[in-house]
Amino acid sequence: MTTFSFTSVLQKTAGATLSKPVQVTLYMMLSSLIIWTVLFSNYPPAHNTAHSLRHHALGVSCH
């Protein structure tokens, strides 16, 4: 029977969650969410800031 210490389990978990592929995936998902939110937001400050980009570069109608 094998026993695991709580510290070794935490170290393995931290090693898996902080690996480069996981970091890259989380960064890309967060970046995509922020870009999507800003470009397709109806919140006036965000909408006004990204207005010309929405119309000219992306061809997204907002009116």
Side-chain angles (χ1 to χ4, degrees), residues 13-54:
T13 304
T17 58
L18 300 177
S19 66
K20 289 292 179 187
V22 172
Q23 288 179 10
V24 169
T25 302
L26 290 173
Y27 177 77
M28 290 178 65
M29 289 174 61
L30 181 62
S31 299
S32 299
L33 178 65
I34 290 170
I35 291 170
W36 177 268
T37 301
V38 169
L39 290 179
F40 297 103
S41 175
N42 287 329
Y43 180 62
H47 176 86
N48 293 337
T49 302
H51 190 88
S52 62
L53 178 64
R54 287 174 71 160

PDB file of all heavy atoms in Angstrom, residues 13-54:
ATOM      1  N   THR A  13       0.294  18.787  -8.198  1.00  0.00           N
ATOM      2  CA  THR A  13      -0.795  19.608  -8.724  1.00  0.00           C
ATOM      3  C   THR A  13      -0.270  20.941  -9.226  1.00  0.00           C
ATOM      4  O   THR A  13      -0.644  21.393 -10.306  1.00  0.00           O
ATOM      5  CB  THR A  13      -1.860  19.842  -7.634  1.00  0.00           C
ATOM      6  OG1 THR A  13      -2.310  18.584  -7.166  1.00  0.00           O
ATOM      7  CG2 THR A  13      -3.016  20.648  -8.171  1.00  0.00           C
ATOM      8  N   ALA A  14       0.604  21.573  -8.461  1.00  0.00           N
ATOM      9  CA  ALA A  14       1.175  22.855  -8.875  1.00  0.00           C
ATOM     10  C   ALA A  14       2.006  22.682 -10.132  1.00  0.00           C
ATOM     11  O   ALA A  14       1.976  23.532 -11.020  1.00  0.00           O
ATOM     12  CB  ALA A  14       2.024  23.434  -7.752  1.00  0.00           C
ATOM     13  N   GLY A  15       2.722  21.601 -10.252  1.00  0.00           N
ATOM     14  CA  GLY A  15       3.521  21.343 -11.449  1.00  0.00           C
ATOM     15  C   GLY A  15       2.657  21.161 -12.681  1.00  0.00           C
ATOM     16  O   GLY A  15       3.001  21.608 -13.771  1.00  0.00           O
ATOM     17  N   ALA A  16       1.518  20.538 -12.539  1.00  0.00           N
ATOM     18  CA  ALA A  16       0.630  20.308 -13.676  1.00  0.00           C
ATOM     19  C   ALA A  16      -0.107  21.579 -14.068  1.00  0.00           C
ATOM     20  O   ALA A  16      -0.260  21.877 -15.246  1.00  0.00           O
ATOM     21  CB  ALA A  16      -0.373  19.214 -13.342  1.00  0.00           C
ATOM     22  N   THR A  17      -0.561  22.335 -13.090  1.00  0.00           N
ATOM     23  CA  THR A  17      -1.347  23.519 -13.409  1.00  0.00           C
ATOM     24  C   THR A  17      -0.490  24.681 -13.877  1.00  0.00           C
ATOM     25  O   THR A  17      -0.998  25.576 -14.540  1.00  0.00           O
ATOM     26  CB  THR A  17      -2.183  23.973 -12.205  1.00  0.00           C
ATOM     27  OG1 THR A  17      -1.307  24.228 -11.113  1.00  0.00           O
ATOM     28  CG2 THR A  17      -3.213  22.940 -11.836  1.00  0.00           C
ATOM     29  N   LEU A  18       0.765  24.689 -13.547  1.00  0.00           N
ATOM     30  CA  LEU A  18       1.628  25.786 -13.956  1.00  0.00           C
ATOM     31  C   LEU A  18       2.519  25.421 -15.137  1.00  0.00           C
ATOM     32  O   LEU A  18       3.454  26.145 -15.439  1.00  0.00           O
ATOM     33  CB  LEU A  18       2.483  26.250 -12.769  1.00  0.00           C
ATOM     34  CG  LEU A  18       1.682  26.757 -11.570  1.00  0.00           C
ATOM     35  CD1 LEU A  18       2.613  27.120 -10.433  1.00  0.00           C
ATOM     36  CD2 LEU A  18       0.818  27.927 -11.945  1.00  0.00           C
ATOM     37  N   SER A  19       2.231  24.335 -15.816  1.00  0.00           N
ATOM     38  CA  SER A  19       3.033  23.947 -16.960  1.00  0.00           C
ATOM     39  C   SER A  19       2.814  24.939 -18.104  1.00  0.00           C
ATOM     40  O   SER A  19       1.812  25.646 -18.163  1.00  0.00           O
ATOM     41  CB  SER A  19       2.678  22.534 -17.408  1.00  0.00           C
ATOM     42  OG  SER A  19       1.358  22.513 -17.906  1.00  0.00           O
ATOM     43  N   LYS A  20       3.759  25.005 -19.011  1.00  0.00           N
ATOM     44  CA  LYS A  20       3.689  25.962 -20.123  1.00  0.00           C
ATOM     45  C   LYS A  20       2.444  25.780 -20.984  1.00  0.00           C
ATOM     46  O   LYS A  20       1.787  26.769 -21.305  1.00  0.00           O
ATOM     47  CB  LYS A  20       4.950  25.886 -20.984  1.00  0.00           C
ATOM     48  CG  LYS A  20       6.172  26.435 -20.318  1.00  0.00           C
ATOM     49  CD  LYS A  20       6.056  27.928 -20.137  1.00  0.00           C
ATOM     50  CE  LYS A  20       7.298  28.441 -19.439  1.00  0.00           C
ATOM     51  NZ  LYS A  20       7.187  29.837 -19.087  1.00  0.00           N
ATOM     52  N   PRO A  21       2.070  24.567 -21.378  1.00  0.00           N
ATOM     53  CA  PRO A  21       0.851  24.434 -22.185  1.00  0.00           C
ATOM     54  C   PRO A  21      -0.400  24.954 -21.478  1.00  0.00           C
ATOM     55  O   PRO A  21      -1.258  25.579 -22.099  1.00  0.00           O
ATOM     56  CB  PRO A  21       0.741  22.938 -22.458  1.00  0.00           C
ATOM     57  CG  PRO A  21       2.129  22.435 -22.323  1.00  0.00           C
ATOM     58  CD  PRO A  21       2.770  23.283 -21.270  1.00  0.00           C
ATOM     59  N   VAL A  22      -0.490  24.728 -20.184  1.00  0.00           N
ATOM     60  CA  VAL A  22      -1.639  25.209 -19.428  1.00  0.00           C
ATOM     61  C   VAL A  22      -1.610  26.730 -19.349  1.00  0.00           C
ATOM     62  O   VAL A  22      -2.630  27.396 -19.540  1.00  0.00           O
ATOM     63  CB  VAL A  22      -1.677  24.589 -18.016  1.00  0.00           C
ATOM     64  CG1 VAL A  22      -2.754  25.229 -17.159  1.00  0.00           C
ATOM     65  CG2 VAL A  22      -1.886  23.094 -18.109  1.00  0.00           C
ATOM     66  N   GLN A  23      -0.445  27.311 -19.113  1.00  0.00           N
ATOM     67  CA  GLN A  23      -0.318  28.760 -19.049  1.00  0.00           C
ATOM     68  C   GLN A  23      -0.685  29.395 -20.382  1.00  0.00           C
ATOM     69  O   GLN A  23      -1.409  30.395 -20.422  1.00  0.00           O
ATOM     70  CB  GLN A  23       1.101  29.165 -18.670  1.00  0.00           C
ATOM     71  CG  GLN A  23       1.460  28.899 -17.244  1.00  0.00           C
ATOM     72  CD  GLN A  23       2.887  29.297 -16.935  1.00  0.00           C
ATOM     73  OE1 GLN A  23       3.556  29.942 -17.732  1.00  0.00           O
ATOM     74  NE2 GLN A  23       3.361  28.912 -15.767  1.00  0.00           N
ATOM     75  N   VAL A  24      -0.194  28.836 -21.480  1.00  0.00           N
ATOM     76  CA  VAL A  24      -0.486  29.370 -22.807  1.00  0.00           C
ATOM     77  C   VAL A  24      -1.975  29.271 -23.109  1.00  0.00           C
ATOM     78  O   VAL A  24      -2.587  30.219 -23.624  1.00  0.00           O
ATOM     79  CB  VAL A  24       0.354  28.651 -23.882  1.00  0.00           C
ATOM     80  CG1 VAL A  24      -0.111  28.998 -25.274  1.00  0.00           C
ATOM     81  CG2 VAL A  24       1.820  28.980 -23.712  1.00  0.00           C
ATOM     82  N   THR A  25      -2.574  28.155 -22.774  1.00  0.00           N
ATOM     83  CA  THR A  25      -4.003  27.971 -23.014  1.00  0.00           C
ATOM     84  C   THR A  25      -4.824  28.966 -22.214  1.00  0.00           C
ATOM     85  O   THR A  25      -5.749  29.600 -22.755  1.00  0.00           O
ATOM     86  CB  THR A  25      -4.422  26.533 -22.658  1.00  0.00           C
ATOM     87  OG1 THR A  25      -3.655  25.625 -23.432  1.00  0.00           O
ATOM     88  CG2 THR A  25      -5.901  26.321 -22.904  1.00  0.00           C
ATOM     89  N   LEU A  26      -4.516  29.133 -20.939  1.00  0.00           N
ATOM     90  CA  LEU A  26      -5.244  30.087 -20.112  1.00  0.00           C
ATOM     91  C   LEU A  26      -5.061  31.517 -20.617  1.00  0.00           C
ATOM     92  O   LEU A  26      -6.017  32.301 -20.654  1.00  0.00           O
ATOM     93  CB  LEU A  26      -4.801  29.980 -18.659  1.00  0.00           C
ATOM     94  CG  LEU A  26      -5.212  28.711 -17.938  1.00  0.00           C
ATOM     95  CD1 LEU A  26      -4.574  28.656 -16.550  1.00  0.00           C
ATOM     96  CD2 LEU A  26      -6.715  28.621 -17.833  1.00  0.00           C
ATOM     97  N   TYR A  27      -3.853  31.867 -21.028  1.00  0.00           N
ATOM     98  CA  TYR A  27      -3.577  33.205 -21.554  1.00  0.00           C
ATOM     99  C   TYR A  27      -4.370  33.458 -22.832  1.00  0.00           C
ATOM    100  O   TYR A  27      -4.966  34.523 -22.997  1.00  0.00           O
ATOM    101  CB  TYR A  27      -2.076  33.352 -21.818  1.00  0.00           C
ATOM    102  CG  TYR A  27      -1.712  34.676 -22.436  1.00  0.00           C
ATOM    103  CD1 TYR A  27      -1.666  35.830 -21.662  1.00  0.00           C
ATOM    104  CD2 TYR A  27      -1.418  34.785 -23.788  1.00  0.00           C
ATOM    105  CE1 TYR A  27      -1.341  37.047 -22.217  1.00  0.00           C
ATOM    106  CE2 TYR A  27      -1.097  35.998 -24.354  1.00  0.00           C
ATOM    107  CZ  TYR A  27      -1.060  37.123 -23.563  1.00  0.00           C
ATOM    108  OH  TYR A  27      -0.744  38.326 -24.111  1.00  0.00           O
ATOM    109  N   MET A  28      -4.402  32.494 -23.731  1.00  0.00           N
ATOM    110  CA  MET A  28      -5.135  32.664 -24.986  1.00  0.00           C
ATOM    111  C   MET A  28      -6.639  32.762 -24.734  1.00  0.00           C
ATOM    112  O   MET A  28      -7.328  33.565 -25.382  1.00  0.00           O
ATOM    113  CB  MET A  28      -4.813  31.522 -25.943  1.00  0.00           C
ATOM    114  CG  MET A  28      -3.399  31.586 -26.478  1.00  0.00           C
ATOM    115  SD  MET A  28      -2.982  30.232 -27.561  1.00  0.00           S
ATOM    116  CE  MET A  28      -4.094  30.527 -28.911  1.00  0.00           C
ATOM    117  N   MET A  29      -7.158  31.969 -23.819  1.00  0.00           N
ATOM    118  CA  MET A  29      -8.590  32.029 -23.517  1.00  0.00           C
ATOM    119  C   MET A  29      -8.959  33.371 -22.887  1.00  0.00           C
ATOM    120  O   MET A  29      -9.979  33.968 -23.252  1.00  0.00           O
ATOM    121  CB  MET A  29      -8.972  30.871 -22.597  1.00  0.00           C
ATOM    122  CG  MET A  29      -8.950  29.525 -23.273  1.00  0.00           C
ATOM    123  SD  MET A  29      -9.244  28.143 -22.156  1.00  0.00           S
ATOM    124  CE  MET A  29     -10.870  28.513 -21.569  1.00  0.00           C
ATOM    125  N   LEU A  30      -8.142  33.851 -21.968  1.00  0.00           N
ATOM    126  CA  LEU A  30      -8.410  35.127 -21.333  1.00  0.00           C
ATOM    127  C   LEU A  30      -8.307  36.269 -22.334  1.00  0.00           C
ATOM    128  O   LEU A  30      -9.159  37.164 -22.360  1.00  0.00           O
ATOM    129  CB  LEU A  30      -7.447  35.359 -20.164  1.00  0.00           C
ATOM    130  CG  LEU A  30      -7.635  36.656 -19.397  1.00  0.00           C
ATOM    131  CD1 LEU A  30      -9.019  36.709 -18.754  1.00  0.00           C
ATOM    132  CD2 LEU A  30      -6.555  36.800 -18.348  1.00  0.00           C
ATOM    133  N   SER A  31      -7.302  36.232 -23.197  1.00  0.00           N
ATOM    134  CA  SER A  31      -7.138  37.260 -24.224  1.00  0.00           C
ATOM    135  C   SER A  31      -8.329  37.262 -25.180  1.00  0.00           C
ATOM    136  O   SER A  31      -8.852  38.322 -25.537  1.00  0.00           O
ATOM    137  CB  SER A  31      -5.849  37.040 -25.012  1.00  0.00           C
ATOM    138  OG  SER A  31      -4.738  37.110 -24.164  1.00  0.00           O
ATOM    139  N   SER A  32      -8.754  36.093 -25.603  1.00  0.00           N
ATOM    140  CA  SER A  32      -9.899  35.995 -26.504  1.00  0.00           C
ATOM    141  C   SER A  32     -11.168  36.526 -25.854  1.00  0.00           C
ATOM    142  O   SER A  32     -11.960  37.226 -26.498  1.00  0.00           O
ATOM    143  CB  SER A  32     -10.122  34.542 -26.928  1.00  0.00           C
ATOM    144  OG  SER A  32      -9.002  34.066 -27.611  1.00  0.00           O
ATOM    145  N   LEU A  33     -11.365  36.220 -24.597  1.00  0.00           N
ATOM    146  CA  LEU A  33     -12.539  36.702 -23.882  1.00  0.00           C
ATOM    147  C   LEU A  33     -12.539  38.225 -23.778  1.00  0.00           C
ATOM    148  O   LEU A  33     -13.569  38.871 -23.988  1.00  0.00           O
ATOM    149  CB  LEU A  33     -12.608  36.078 -22.492  1.00  0.00           C
ATOM    150  CG  LEU A  33     -13.778  36.524 -21.610  1.00  0.00           C
ATOM    151  CD1 LEU A  33     -15.103  36.082 -22.222  1.00  0.00           C
ATOM    152  CD2 LEU A  33     -13.612  35.973 -20.218  1.00  0.00           C
ATOM    153  N   ILE A  34     -11.386  38.804 -23.486  1.00  0.00           N
ATOM    154  CA  ILE A  34     -11.290  40.265 -23.373  1.00  0.00           C
ATOM    155  C   ILE A  34     -11.546  40.917 -24.718  1.00  0.00           C
ATOM    156  O   ILE A  34     -12.315  41.884 -24.819  1.00  0.00           O
ATOM    157  CB  ILE A  34      -9.921  40.667 -22.800  1.00  0.00           C
ATOM    158  CG1 ILE A  34      -9.840  40.267 -21.330  1.00  0.00           C
ATOM    159  CG2 ILE A  34      -9.688  42.170 -22.960  1.00  0.00           C
ATOM    160  CD1 ILE A  34      -8.469  40.392 -20.719  1.00  0.00           C
ATOM    161  N   ILE A  35     -10.938  40.411 -25.781  1.00  0.00           N
ATOM    162  CA  ILE A  35     -11.134  40.980 -27.121  1.00  0.00           C
ATOM    163  C   ILE A  35     -12.595  40.844 -27.537  1.00  0.00           C
ATOM    164  O   ILE A  35     -13.192  41.792 -28.048  1.00  0.00           O
ATOM    165  CB  ILE A  35     -10.191  40.310 -28.134  1.00  0.00           C
ATOM    166  CG1 ILE A  35      -8.753  40.725 -27.839  1.00  0.00           C
ATOM    167  CG2 ILE A  35     -10.576  40.660 -29.562  1.00  0.00           C
ATOM    168  CD1 ILE A  35      -7.718  39.942 -28.605  1.00  0.00           C
ATOM    169  N   TRP A  36     -13.194  39.686 -27.334  1.00  0.00           N
ATOM    170  CA  TRP A  36     -14.598  39.467 -27.687  1.00  0.00           C
ATOM    171  C   TRP A  36     -15.491  40.442 -26.916  1.00  0.00           C
ATOM    172  O   TRP A  36     -16.397  41.051 -27.487  1.00  0.00           O
ATOM    173  CB  TRP A  36     -14.989  38.024 -27.368  1.00  0.00           C
ATOM    174  CG  TRP A  36     -16.427  37.730 -27.636  1.00  0.00           C
ATOM    175  CD1 TRP A  36     -17.466  37.824 -26.758  1.00  0.00           C
ATOM    176  CD2 TRP A  36     -16.991  37.309 -28.867  1.00  0.00           C
ATOM    177  NE1 TRP A  36     -18.634  37.473 -27.367  1.00  0.00           N
ATOM    178  CE2 TRP A  36     -18.375  37.152 -28.672  1.00  0.00           C
ATOM    179  CE3 TRP A  36     -16.453  37.034 -30.117  1.00  0.00           C
ATOM    180  CZ2 TRP A  36     -19.228  36.745 -29.681  1.00  0.00           C
ATOM    181  CZ3 TRP A  36     -17.309  36.619 -31.121  1.00  0.00           C
ATOM    182  CH2 TRP A  36     -18.669  36.485 -30.898  1.00  0.00           C
ATOM    183  N   THR A  37     -15.235  40.603 -25.632  1.00  0.00           N
ATOM    184  CA  THR A  37     -16.048  41.478 -24.799  1.00  0.00           C
ATOM    185  C   THR A  37     -15.959  42.926 -25.265  1.00  0.00           C
ATOM    186  O   THR A  37     -16.967  43.622 -25.362  1.00  0.00           O
ATOM    187  CB  THR A  37     -15.614  41.370 -23.328  1.00  0.00           C
ATOM    188  OG1 THR A  37     -15.749  40.013 -22.913  1.00  0.00           O
ATOM    189  CG2 THR A  37     -16.459  42.262 -22.436  1.00  0.00           C
ATOM    190  N   VAL A  38     -14.767  43.394 -25.573  1.00  0.00           N
ATOM    191  CA  VAL A  38     -14.597  44.782 -26.008  1.00  0.00           C
ATOM    192  C   VAL A  38     -15.211  45.005 -27.383  1.00  0.00           C
ATOM    193  O   VAL A  38     -15.906  45.995 -27.611  1.00  0.00           O
ATOM    194  CB  VAL A  38     -13.109  45.181 -25.999  1.00  0.00           C
ATOM    195  CG1 VAL A  38     -12.894  46.514 -26.688  1.00  0.00           C
ATOM    196  CG2 VAL A  38     -12.588  45.242 -24.570  1.00  0.00           C
ATOM    197  N   LEU A  39     -14.972  44.105 -28.322  1.00  0.00           N
ATOM    198  CA  LEU A  39     -15.449  44.321 -29.686  1.00  0.00           C
ATOM    199  C   LEU A  39     -16.953  44.175 -29.834  1.00  0.00           C
ATOM    200  O   LEU A  39     -17.558  44.820 -30.693  1.00  0.00           O
ATOM    201  CB  LEU A  39     -14.733  43.374 -30.649  1.00  0.00           C
ATOM    202  CG  LEU A  39     -13.258  43.684 -30.873  1.00  0.00           C
ATOM    203  CD1 LEU A  39     -12.661  42.670 -31.822  1.00  0.00           C
ATOM    204  CD2 LEU A  39     -13.059  45.085 -31.406  1.00  0.00           C
ATOM    205  N   PHE A  40     -17.586  43.360 -29.031  1.00  0.00           N
ATOM    206  CA  PHE A  40     -19.012  43.128 -29.185  1.00  0.00           C
ATOM    207  C   PHE A  40     -19.831  43.639 -28.007  1.00  0.00           C
ATOM    208  O   PHE A  40     -20.963  43.226 -27.795  1.00  0.00           O
ATOM    209  CB  PHE A  40     -19.284  41.644 -29.423  1.00  0.00           C
ATOM    210  CG  PHE A  40     -18.663  41.160 -30.695  1.00  0.00           C
ATOM    211  CD1 PHE A  40     -17.495  40.415 -30.682  1.00  0.00           C
ATOM    212  CD2 PHE A  40     -19.224  41.486 -31.916  1.00  0.00           C
ATOM    213  CE1 PHE A  40     -16.920  39.984 -31.849  1.00  0.00           C
ATOM    214  CE2 PHE A  40     -18.651  41.061 -33.099  1.00  0.00           C
ATOM    215  CZ  PHE A  40     -17.493  40.311 -33.067  1.00  0.00           C
ATOM    216  N   SER A  41     -19.262  44.568 -27.282  1.00  0.00           N
ATOM    217  CA  SER A  41     -19.941  45.123 -26.125  1.00  0.00           C
ATOM    218  C   SER A  41     -20.879  46.251 -26.527  1.00  0.00           C
ATOM    219  O   SER A  41     -20.611  47.014 -27.448  1.00  0.00           O
ATOM    220  CB  SER A  41     -18.905  45.663 -25.137  1.00  0.00           C
ATOM    221  OG  SER A  41     -19.538  46.305 -24.070  1.00  0.00           O
ATOM    222  N   ASN A  42     -21.980  46.356 -25.829  1.00  0.00           N
ATOM    223  CA  ASN A  42     -22.878  47.494 -25.990  1.00  0.00           C
ATOM    224  C   ASN A  42     -22.692  48.510 -24.872  1.00  0.00           C
ATOM    225  O   ASN A  42     -23.392  49.504 -24.826  1.00  0.00           O
ATOM    226  CB  ASN A  42     -24.336  47.032 -26.025  1.00  0.00           C
ATOM    227  CG  ASN A  42     -24.647  46.339 -27.326  1.00  0.00           C
ATOM    228  OD1 ASN A  42     -24.081  46.655 -28.359  1.00  0.00           O
ATOM    229  ND2 ASN A  42     -25.541  45.376 -27.258  1.00  0.00           N
ATOM    230  N   TYR A  43     -21.755  48.248 -23.983  1.00  0.00           N
ATOM    231  CA  TYR A  43     -21.417  49.183 -22.919  1.00  0.00           C
ATOM    232  C   TYR A  43     -20.785  50.416 -23.560  1.00  0.00           C
ATOM    233  O   TYR A  43     -19.784  50.289 -24.277  1.00  0.00           O
ATOM    234  CB  TYR A  43     -20.476  48.505 -21.933  1.00  0.00           C
ATOM    235  CG  TYR A  43     -20.043  49.365 -20.773  1.00  0.00           C
ATOM    236  CD1 TYR A  43     -20.979  49.863 -19.874  1.00  0.00           C
ATOM    237  CD2 TYR A  43     -18.702  49.655 -20.574  1.00  0.00           C
ATOM    238  CE1 TYR A  43     -20.579  50.650 -18.809  1.00  0.00           C
ATOM    239  CE2 TYR A  43     -18.304  50.429 -19.507  1.00  0.00           C
ATOM    240  CZ  TYR A  43     -19.239  50.929 -18.628  1.00  0.00           C
ATOM    241  OH  TYR A  43     -18.852  51.703 -17.576  1.00  0.00           O
ATOM    242  N   PRO A  44     -21.358  51.607 -23.388  1.00  0.00           N
ATOM    243  CA  PRO A  44     -20.942  52.778 -24.157  1.00  0.00           C
ATOM    244  C   PRO A  44     -19.442  53.098 -24.175  1.00  0.00           C
ATOM    245  O   PRO A  44     -18.895  53.342 -25.252  1.00  0.00           O
ATOM    246  CB  PRO A  44     -21.752  53.914 -23.538  1.00  0.00           C
ATOM    247  CG  PRO A  44     -22.975  53.251 -23.032  1.00  0.00           C
ATOM    248  CD  PRO A  44     -22.514  51.898 -22.556  1.00  0.00           C
ATOM    249  N   PRO A  45     -18.722  53.095 -23.041  1.00  0.00           N
ATOM    250  CA  PRO A  45     -17.287  53.414 -23.140  1.00  0.00           C
ATOM    251  C   PRO A  45     -16.504  52.397 -23.982  1.00  0.00           C
ATOM    252  O   PRO A  45     -15.655  52.771 -24.787  1.00  0.00           O
ATOM    253  CB  PRO A  45     -16.809  53.401 -21.690  1.00  0.00           C
ATOM    254  CG  PRO A  45     -18.021  53.686 -20.886  1.00  0.00           C
ATOM    255  CD  PRO A  45     -19.154  53.041 -21.634  1.00  0.00           C
ATOM    256  N   ALA A  46     -16.799  51.129 -23.818  1.00  0.00           N
ATOM    257  CA  ALA A  46     -16.107  50.105 -24.616  1.00  0.00           C
ATOM    258  C   ALA A  46     -16.539  50.181 -26.071  1.00  0.00           C
ATOM    259  O   ALA A  46     -15.726  50.053 -26.981  1.00  0.00           O
ATOM    260  CB  ALA A  46     -16.373  48.718 -24.046  1.00  0.00           C
ATOM    261  N   HIS A  47     -17.830  50.397 -26.299  1.00  0.00           N
ATOM    262  CA  HIS A  47     -18.353  50.485 -27.665  1.00  0.00           C
ATOM    263  C   HIS A  47     -17.740  51.671 -28.412  1.00  0.00           C
ATOM    264  O   HIS A  47     -17.309  51.537 -29.555  1.00  0.00           O
ATOM    265  CB  HIS A  47     -19.873  50.631 -27.630  1.00  0.00           C
ATOM    266  CG  HIS A  47     -20.482  50.820 -28.970  1.00  0.00           C
ATOM    267  ND1 HIS A  47     -20.829  49.767 -29.769  1.00  0.00           N
ATOM    268  CD2 HIS A  47     -20.791  51.942 -29.674  1.00  0.00           C
ATOM    269  CE1 HIS A  47     -21.337  50.226 -30.899  1.00  0.00           C
ATOM    270  NE2 HIS A  47     -21.319  51.546 -30.864  1.00  0.00           N
ATOM    271  N   ASN A  48     -17.689  52.813 -27.780  1.00  0.00           N
ATOM    272  CA  ASN A  48     -17.161  54.003 -28.435  1.00  0.00           C
ATOM    273  C   ASN A  48     -15.674  53.886 -28.723  1.00  0.00           C
ATOM    274  O   ASN A  48     -15.194  54.372 -29.746  1.00  0.00           O
ATOM    275  CB  ASN A  48     -17.443  55.244 -27.584  1.00  0.00           C
ATOM    276  CG  ASN A  48     -18.919  55.537 -27.509  1.00  0.00           C
ATOM    277  OD1 ASN A  48     -19.688  55.127 -28.371  1.00  0.00           O
ATOM    278  ND2 ASN A  48     -19.327  56.225 -26.451  1.00  0.00           N
ATOM    279  N   THR A  49     -14.938  53.243 -27.846  1.00  0.00           N
ATOM    280  CA  THR A  49     -13.502  53.079 -28.049  1.00  0.00           C
ATOM    281  C   THR A  49     -13.210  52.171 -29.236  1.00  0.00           C
ATOM    282  O   THR A  49     -12.320  52.451 -30.037  1.00  0.00           O
ATOM    283  CB  THR A  49     -12.847  52.492 -26.783  1.00  0.00           C
ATOM    284  OG1 THR A  49     -13.125  53.367 -25.700  1.00  0.00           O
ATOM    285  CG2 THR A  49     -11.360  52.336 -26.958  1.00  0.00           C
ATOM    286  N   ALA A  50     -13.962  51.111 -29.383  1.00  0.00           N
ATOM    287  CA  ALA A  50     -13.710  50.143 -30.449  1.00  0.00           C
ATOM    288  C   ALA A  50     -14.621  50.344 -31.660  1.00  0.00           C
ATOM    289  O   ALA A  50     -14.660  49.507 -32.545  1.00  0.00           O
ATOM    290  CB  ALA A  50     -13.883  48.738 -29.909  1.00  0.00           C
ATOM    291  N   HIS A  51     -15.336  51.464 -31.726  1.00  0.00           N
ATOM    292  CA  HIS A  51     -16.344  51.674 -32.758  1.00  0.00           C
ATOM    293  C   HIS A  51     -15.787  51.604 -34.177  1.00  0.00           C
ATOM    294  O   HIS A  51     -16.289  50.860 -35.020  1.00  0.00           O
ATOM    295  CB  HIS A  51     -17.042  53.016 -32.535  1.00  0.00           C
ATOM    296  CG  HIS A  51     -18.234  53.211 -33.400  1.00  0.00           C
ATOM    297  ND1 HIS A  51     -19.482  52.783 -33.042  1.00  0.00           N
ATOM    298  CD2 HIS A  51     -18.363  53.767 -34.630  1.00  0.00           C
ATOM    299  CE1 HIS A  51     -20.326  53.080 -33.994  1.00  0.00           C
ATOM    300  NE2 HIS A  51     -19.683  53.679 -34.975  1.00  0.00           N
ATOM    301  N   SER A  52     -14.756  52.370 -34.455  1.00  0.00           N
ATOM    302  CA  SER A  52     -14.233  52.392 -35.832  1.00  0.00           C
ATOM    303  C   SER A  52     -13.606  51.049 -36.200  1.00  0.00           C
ATOM    304  O   SER A  52     -13.720  50.610 -37.348  1.00  0.00           O
ATOM    305  CB  SER A  52     -13.222  53.523 -36.012  1.00  0.00           C
ATOM    306  OG  SER A  52     -12.125  53.330 -35.172  1.00  0.00           O
ATOM    307  N   LEU A  53     -12.968  50.391 -35.263  1.00  0.00           N
ATOM    308  CA  LEU A  53     -12.393  49.073 -35.539  1.00  0.00           C
ATOM    309  C   LEU A  53     -13.499  48.076 -35.873  1.00  0.00           C
ATOM    310  O   LEU A  53     -13.355  47.275 -36.805  1.00  0.00           O
ATOM    311  CB  LEU A  53     -11.591  48.578 -34.336  1.00  0.00           C
ATOM    312  CG  LEU A  53     -10.981  47.195 -34.460  1.00  0.00           C
ATOM    313  CD1 LEU A  53      -9.945  47.178 -35.581  1.00  0.00           C
ATOM    314  CD2 LEU A  53     -10.370  46.764 -33.154  1.00  0.00           C
ATOM    315  N   ARG A  54     -14.584  48.143 -35.171  1.00  0.00           N
ATOM    316  CA  ARG A  54     -15.708  47.230 -35.433  1.00  0.00           C
ATOM    317  C   ARG A  54     -16.225  47.401 -36.846  1.00  0.00           C
ATOM    318  O   ARG A  54     -16.495  46.436 -37.545  1.00  0.00           O
ATOM    319  CB  ARG A  54     -16.849  47.491 -34.456  1.00  0.00           C
ATOM    320  CG  ARG A  54     -16.581  47.023 -33.062  1.00  0.00           C
ATOM    321  CD  ARG A  54     -17.693  47.441 -32.145  1.00  0.00           C
ATOM    322  NE  ARG A  54     -18.897  46.667 -32.451  1.00  0.00           N
ATOM    323  CZ  ARG A  54     -19.894  46.526 -31.621  1.00  0.00           C
ATOM    324  NH1 ARG A  54     -19.856  47.108 -30.442  1.00  0.00           N
ATOM    325  NH2 ARG A  54     -20.955  45.826 -31.952  1.00  0.00           N
TER     326      ARG A  54
END
